[in-house]
Amino acid sequence: MTLTFLGTRGEIEMRTRRHRMHTSLLVSYRGARVMIDCGLDWLGKFQWLHPSAIVLTHAHPDHAWGLRNGAPCPVYAPEITSQELQRYPIKDRHVIKHRTPTKICGTTFEAFPVEHSILSPAVGYRVSAGRACIFYAPDLIFIHDRSAALRDVQIYIGDGATMTRTFIRRRGKALIGHSPVRTQLTWCQKEGVQRAIITHCGSEIVTGDERKMFANLRAIAEERDVDVRIAYDGMKLTL
Ligand SMILES: [Zn+2]
Ligand SMILES: [Zn+2]
């Protein structure tokens, strides 16, 4: 399985060469290319990547609005996300049921509900092919069934909207926002996941001194026995 971080920018104004495009991951396996998320930055552009299929985590602008004019391939999304995008002229739609492993072009995707937004509920995906298995959740406060989601996962790919500051608001009984990277690395430690990659980068990463910030991050990760990297647009790795 080869992972290409097509985009690593979160929902912020700023962009740099390393974090230019809205967060999206290309999962390639045996010639098939599945793109996870297609935000507004990709509108009119993603067709050039020739995806075999597109899978969506939620309907926020930085994850789904690139599909405003439709898609030349099948689009998979949880029911509620698909409903939110019902006006989009997407011809080949498929629903991914929560907690039901679904094979898409030879790679298995299992959607795990995550807390993030009330209006646009989100999922993270456990993605597996051959012996490779990752968990991808670009926007989240927490994973509802974290142990099942992260069991035997080689790499946790998580939300870089905030490093240590809390970015969570309460709306009635629900929470909305993003958990700090520090908290996500604690989950990795608890579930025995040894590698983490941070994507969906927020202003602390994109506008700050990335090297200095990374030194702090590495200290946090070392305390938790996790190997961490910050993804950048175009970063590629093979599992
Ligand atoms: Zn986002
Ligand atoms: Zn979001």
Side-chain angles (χ1 to χ4, degrees), residues 11 57-63 116-117 120 122 138-140 177-178 200:
E11 180 67 327
T57 60
H58 63 307
H60 275 162
D62 54 323
H63 297 267
H116 167 57
S117 161
S120 302
D139 295 47
L140 83 172
H178 306 265
H200 196 266

Side-chain angles (χ1 to χ4, degrees), residues 38-232:
C38 187
L40 201 49
D41 283 346
W42 294 100
L43 183 68
K45 298 195 178 97
F46 72 93
Q47 294 84 344
W48 303 107
L49 300 165
H50 301 291
S52 318
I54 296 171
V55 177
L56 300 177
T57 60
H58 63 307
H60 275 162
D62 54 323
H63 297 267
W65 289 18
L67 297 176
R68 211 182 250 173
N69 299 333
C73 63
V75 174
Y76 292 77
E79 176 120 54
I80 199 147
T81 302
S82 188
Q83 278 170 10
E84 261 186 84
L85 306 173
Q86 62 183 342
R87 287 210 209 104
Y88 286 11
I90 298 167
K91 290 197 192 100
D92 193 1
R93 285 173 188 259
H94 301 260
V95 166
I96 291 196
K97 284 197 190 137
H98 289 169
R99 300 301 313 275
T100 306
T102 305
K103 212 164 219 188
I104 301 171
C105 307
T107 298
T108 303
F109 289 76
E110 182 175 352
F112 282 79
V114 299
E115 202 70 16
H116 167 57
S117 161
I118 299 169
L119 294 177
S120 302
V123 298
Y125 286 104
R126 186 179 162 96
V127 182
S128 51
R131 283 196 200 151
C133 184
I134 62 153
F135 187 78
Y136 183 76
D139 295 47
L140 83 172
I141 296 174
F142 61 84
I143 308 165
H144 282 277
D145 195 352
R146 192 181 72 202
S147 297
L150 301 187
R151 189 173 300 138
D152 300 326
V153 154
Q154 288 158 286
I155 307 180
Y156 169 85
I157 302 173
D159 182 350
T162 171
M163 283 293 150
T164 54
R165 268 182 281 158
T166 298
F167 211 160
I168 300 171
R169 287 178 191 86
R170 188 175 288 280
R171 290 280 182 282
K173 278 187 190 160
L175 301 172
I176 56 170
H178 306 265
S179 263
V181 169
R182 179 162 60 190
T183 305
Q184 296 172 62
L185 294 176
T186 302
W187 304 339
C188 290
Q189 179 188 26
K190 286 185 176 160
E191 306 300 343
V193 180
Q194 286 167 347
R195 285 178 78 184
I197 298 178
I198 303 309
T199 187
H200 196 266
C201 300
S203 51
E204 275 172 278
I205 298 174
V206 178
T207 64
D209 179 342
E210 190 164 332
R211 240 191 272 172
K212 211 190 260 175
M213 201 271 320
F214 184 66
N216 293 337
L217 175 61
R218 200 157 48 186
I220 293 170
E222 269 169 17
E223 277 170 20
R224 289 160 180 76
D225 240 336
V226 180
D227 174 63
V228 71
R229 289 186 72 172
I230 295 174
Y232 53 86

